[in-house]
Amino acid sequence: MSLISLEFLVFLGITAIIYFLAPKKVQWIVLLIANYVFYAFAGAKYIPFLLYTTFTTYIGCLWLSKLNRKYKETLAELKGSLDREQKKRLKTASIRQKRWVVALVCVLNFGVLGLVKYSDFLVDNINGILSALSLPVLEMTVDWILPLGISFYTFQAIGYLVDVYRDQVEAERNFFKTALFLSFFPQLVQGPISRYEQLAHQLTEEHRFDYDRFKKGAYLILWGLFKKLVIAERIVRISNWVFNVENQATGVLIFIGAVAYSIRVYTDFSGGIDIARGAAQILGIELTQNFERPYFATTIGEFWRRWHMSLGSWFRDYVFYPLSLSKGLSKAGKWGRKYLGNYIGKLIPVLTSQFVVFTLIGVWHGSSWKYIAFGFYHGIMIVGGILLGPKLHKIGEDRGINMTSFGFRVFQILRTFIIVVFGRIFTMGNSLTQSMGYYAKSFQFDLDFLTDGLLSKWGFHRAEFLLLVAALFLLFIVSVLQERGMQIRDTLLKKHMLIQWMVYLALIFTVIIFGVYGYGYASSDFIYRGF
Amino acid sequence: MKKLLEILEDIRPDVNFEEETALVTDGVLDSFDIVSIVGEINDQFDVDIYAEDLIPENFDSAEAMMKLIERHLDE
């Protein structure tokens, strides 16, 4: 069931009605059933995968919980009679046991994710090497099915597991409540990836229907539909045309195509997230933010703190921190400080981990070298930013540039935007080779396009293009207001009923009349749905 | 505490560690700062602060960090 279908809205409506009419004590069960009904619509054959992850995570967390308890009890019993060395050994032993549990559950789940998403990629590459060596290739490609949301719920499950390992949350003893946490339908398709501490209790708590909250959720859903159907589905024509090799786009056109794609991926993804958050809000549940006007970021680092925030913070807490504080990298850091100087030595753990994190983020996006290159590119940008930042700052100071001025901030925003847009080109080709071809072509300058009837080539009548520009302008204004801290929906709810209704109706009509609907809904599917 | 403040001011001379109480929650310190700080603390206080200790409560102020260090020294 696509998040932008009428079916979804009907499903949401029916679920909400049953949810709020049901006795408060069984609300969570209604939600659990709704989650699995939703998932069944996507494909009943995927359910075993979700149950598998739920089950392994549930058992793993109970086991960790038991190990945590054992450690604390032993410590309490023997507290007086142990010296510092013995206490340290007790702790290390407990940690080692817990690590085995985490490792096991990770292998079981990331293993399945890897198989389903990446095995063909792996086999292709192995075959590439084999045939280069004139050896027989492997006949092993299987048509794996890709369970809906597997990248998202797997990460959410492992995050919960590690939180229990760290004794930051209590393991859930009820299997069905665990299943509830891992199957919440608004976030199944494309996130956000939630944390146990933030989400779990909300799912099992009682919720009353609240009209204001319903209105806020409805606004958010409408806004998401606007972004997706009016903007994303329209602007995609530009990037599709530019990145279709037959059209032989060169020079500035490639950049324009990349800008169009950057806008498209933002409005598509964040629009879907808005629908998810709006739906959850109607039920009384708050899902974490996933985007914060990312294209207003002043540095690449800041961009990744505003784009796909739940993925970024997952990698920060579960990969970056553990990796950069690990014994291995700490030792490398000490070695670096001794032989390469204090400055570089201190940076070794951070830079290495950042690089690993971004390569993994690239890999997360898909099983192709172009995504790995994408991750690499951002890794280099981030590392470059850390290394060059202080020096560039000094140059700016020496030249007397006012780095707190609005003008400078605009410069930083544009600079970051260009870096991000440029990076997107990696993902535009069907393969890394094709993407590199686009990069090469972008350096060929050709101004004919200005007079070539470009709009009609892209599939736009003049009026429709103006509509797109108007929609983008509206998005921009709203974003600037939000960036200044305005809580738009709260402000709207304080206005006169007439105004509220006018905004609703305007949004509804805009979406219905100006939305681009594909054949059936296939071509309007969300980009991130296949994850 | 003095030793800790020296470490902190060395890594981020532009931050007033004696007064700030929302270093992580307000985004004053970013993840690189945290890693650098923890690296120095582990070294100079001879403790083992791991990723599981990296929650905002433990790093929002210099006092919080000192308490974290003392907890580790006690173990």
Side-chain angles (χ1 to χ4, degrees):
Chain A
M1 194 185 316
S2 170
L3 282 183
I4 50 170
S5 60
L6 198 56
E7 305 163 319
F8 177 73
L9 292 176
V10 171
F11 174 78
L12 176 63
I14 296 179
T15 303
I17 293 174
I18 303 180
Y19 188 70
F20 289 116
L21 287 180
K24 298 284 171 272
K25 292 232 178 295
V26 301
Q27 267 186 329
W28 71 272
I29 298 181
V30 169
L31 194 53
L32 176 63
I33 296 174
N35 291 343
Y36 273 85
V37 166
F38 178 84
Y39 206 61
F41 266 102
K45 58 184 186 235
Y46 300 145
I47 292 186
F49 286 91
L50 182 56
L51 285 174
Y52 169 79
T53 297
T54 308
F55 188 67
T56 50
T57 308
Y58 171 69
I59 298 286
C61 287
L62 283 183
W63 196 348
L64 285 171
S65 181
K66 185 165 167 223
L67 290 172
N68 278 336
R69 240 194 345 258
K70 236 176 76 177
Y71 168 68
K72 282 190 271 203
E73 281 166 10
T74 317
L75 197 62
E77 262 179 51
L78 305 173
K79 189 139 201 218
S81 55
L82 292 176
D83 66 20
R84 198 169 172 213
E85 261 312 302
Q86 287 171 313
K87 273 194 232 169
K88 217 170 180 181
R89 256 179 288 157
L90 188 67
K91 187 172 188 194
T92 317
S94 168
I95 289 180
R96 196 176 303 136
Q97 285 180 304
K98 291 199 296 182
R99 284 201 175 154
W100 275 111
V101 177
V102 172
L104 180 64
V105 177
C106 279
V107 164
L108 287 177
N109 284 290
F110 283 126
V112 168
L113 177 61
L115 259 180
V116 155
K117 225 172 139 175
Y118 300 101
S119 58
D120 286 345
F121 174 63
L122 197 61
V123 168
D124 280 344
N125 279 289
I126 293 179
N127 282 344
I129 300 177
L130 288 178
S131 55
L133 298 173
S134 301
L135 290 171
V137 294
L138 306 167
E139 301 289 337
M140 265 176 56
T141 48
V142 182
D143 205 7
W144 299 102
I145 55 174
L146 196 63
L148 179 69
I150 188 170
S151 301
F152 298 99
Y153 70 67
T154 304
F155 274 58
Q156 187 155 312
I158 299 294
Y160 164 49
L161 181 82
V162 175
D163 286 346
V164 175
Y165 163 87
R166 292 175 177 170
D167 210 4
Q168 281 169 359
V169 302
E170 273 295 321
E172 174 55 68
R173 308 214 144 263
N174 183 319
F175 174 74
F176 294 103
K177 289 189 178 172
T178 307
L180 177 63
F181 172 66
L182 293 179
S183 63
F184 188 41
F185 74 88
Q187 62 170 175
L188 260 182
V189 179
Q190 48 180 352
I193 299 171
S194 296
R195 301 297 180 89
Y196 187 80
E197 212 168 11
Q198 190 265 341
L199 182 62
H201 69 94
Q202 292 191 68
L203 295 174
T204 52
E205 277 160 4
E206 300 171 357
H207 294 102
R208 311 212 110 75
F209 178 75
D210 180 301
Y211 187 48
D212 272 358
R213 204 181 53 210
F214 169 79
K215 284 196 280 187
K216 282 169 77 167
Y219 271 134
L220 197 49
I221 293 179
L222 283 172
W223 183 243
L225 287 172
F226 169 73
K227 282 199 264 185
K228 164 71 174 167
L229 294 173
V230 178
I231 300 183
E233 287 302 301
R234 222 173 229 110
I235 210 170
V236 72
R237 291 182 216 163
I238 299 181
S239 51
N240 276 353
W241 187 92
V242 170
F243 293 108
N244 177 343
V245 276
E246 289 175 5
N247 290 318
Q248 303 192 331
T250 57
V252 179
L253 264 185
I254 295 206
F255 184 72
I256 292 179
V259 169
Y261 182 74
S262 302
I263 296 176
R264 184 234 176 165
V265 69
Y266 169 65
T267 44
D268 184 298
F269 197 2
S270 70
I273 295 286
D274 284 347
I275 297 173
R277 293 184 70 232
Q281 189 166 33
I282 288 179
L283 296 173
I285 292 161
E286 196 184 309
L287 287 176
T288 179
Q289 289 261 41
N290 225 10
F291 291 93
E292 230 174 57
R293 281 100 39 208
Y295 294 137
F296 285 172
T298 51
T299 67
I300 271 283
E302 193 187 341
F303 173 78
W304 285 102
R305 288 191 284 273
R306 290 174 178 243
W307 175 277
H308 205 167
M309 290 156 66
S310 63
L311 185 72
S313 71
W314 193 98
F315 270 100
R316 180 197 66 208
D317 291 339
Y318 302 109
V319 179
F320 176 68
Y321 281 147
L323 194 57
S324 54
L325 295 175
S326 66
K327 288 267 176 340
L329 279 182
S330 295
K331 285 210 187 106
K334 284 207 185 92
W335 177 92
R337 255 176 293 183
K338 205 164 158 199
Y339 294 106
L340 300 172
N342 220 1
Y343 181 62
I344 299 201
K346 272 198 285 208
L347 284 177
I348 287 184
V350 167
L351 297 184
T352 317
S353 324
Q354 277 301 95
F355 212 65
V356 168
V357 164
F358 277 97
T359 308
L360 286 177
I361 286 182
V363 169
W364 182 92
H365 277 81
S367 51
S368 162
W369 284 108
K370 68 182 188 185
Y371 289 118
I372 296 179
F374 169 72
F376 239 58
Y377 169 82
H378 275 274
I380 294 176
M381 288 295 131
I382 290 260
V383 163
I386 300 177
L387 288 175
L388 294 175
K391 298 198 175 71
L392 289 176
H393 194 88
K394 182 132 198 317
I395 295 180
E397 269 177 355
D398 289 344
R399 297 252 176 104
I401 300 179
N402 179 2
M403 284 180 274
T404 52
S405 71
F406 179 69
F408 188 72
R409 190 155 171 243
V410 170
F411 160 72
Q412 286 180 306
I413 292 176
L414 286 174
R415 174 193 64 187
T416 308
F417 185 64
I418 291 175
I419 294 178
V420 169
V421 164
F422 202 65
R424 296 246 183 255
I425 299 179
F426 273 113
T427 63
M428 298 315 318
N430 287 330
S431 65
L432 182 58
T433 325
Q434 208 173 62
S435 298
M436 297 308 293
Y438 288 127
Y439 277 117
K441 284 203 215 132
S442 67
F443 288 107
Q444 289 173 249
F445 288 111
D446 174 9
L447 289 175
D448 283 344
F449 74 90
L450 286 173
T451 50
D452 259 355
L454 198 57
L455 284 187
S456 57
K457 274 202 212 150
W458 285 341
F460 286 114
H461 297 299
R462 201 154 169 269
E464 202 184 357
F465 189 72
L466 287 176
L467 167 70
L468 177 61
V469 171
L472 285 171
F473 189 65
L474 175 63
L475 176 62
F476 182 72
I477 298 287
V478 168
S479 303
V480 169
L481 288 176
Q482 288 171 329
E483 184 73 9
R484 287 176 176 228
M486 178 167 158
Q487 300 290 344
I488 296 187
R489 285 175 293 151
D490 287 332
T491 311
L492 259 178
L493 255 62
K494 294 200 193 109
K495 302 261 185 259
H496 193 272
M497 273 307 286
L498 195 60
I499 297 189
Q500 289 183 39
W501 273 100
M502 272 167 54
V503 174
Y504 274 129
L505 291 174
L507 278 172
I508 294 176
F509 279 129
T510 307
V511 167
I512 294 181
I513 298 176
F514 296 123
V516 176
Y517 301 91
Y519 305 105
Y521 294 108
S523 54
S524 296
D525 243 348
F526 288 95
I527 304 178
Y528 278 76
R529 188 192 160 87
F531 278 64
Chain B
M1 187 67 167
K2 191 155 167 252
K3 199 155 110 181
L4 174 62
L5 283 173
E6 270 172 23
I7 296 176
L8 295 174
E9 271 148 28
D10 190 44
I11 292 177
R12 285 293 297 273
D14 56 315
V15 176
N16 184 345
F17 289 100
E18 306 202 1
E19 287 185 10
E20 285 282 354
T21 52
L23 292 163
V24 175
T25 322
D26 276 353
V28 180
L29 297 179
D30 65 23
S31 37
F32 309 140
D33 296 325
I34 302 275
V35 170
S36 310
I37 291 172
V38 171
E40 283 300 307
I41 289 178
N42 281 347
D43 247 2
Q44 299 202 21
F45 287 89
D46 192 27
V47 285
D48 268 326
I49 297 181
Y50 285 131
E52 47 251 48
D53 295 306
L54 294 182
I55 46 179
E57 291 82 57
N58 286 341
F59 286 86
D60 258 341
S61 66
E63 283 90 50
M65 292 188 228
M66 199 64 224
K67 287 209 188 92
L68 176 67
I69 297 171
E70 278 159 12
R71 274 205 298 277
H72 276 265
L73 285 171
D74 270 342
E75 283 179 355

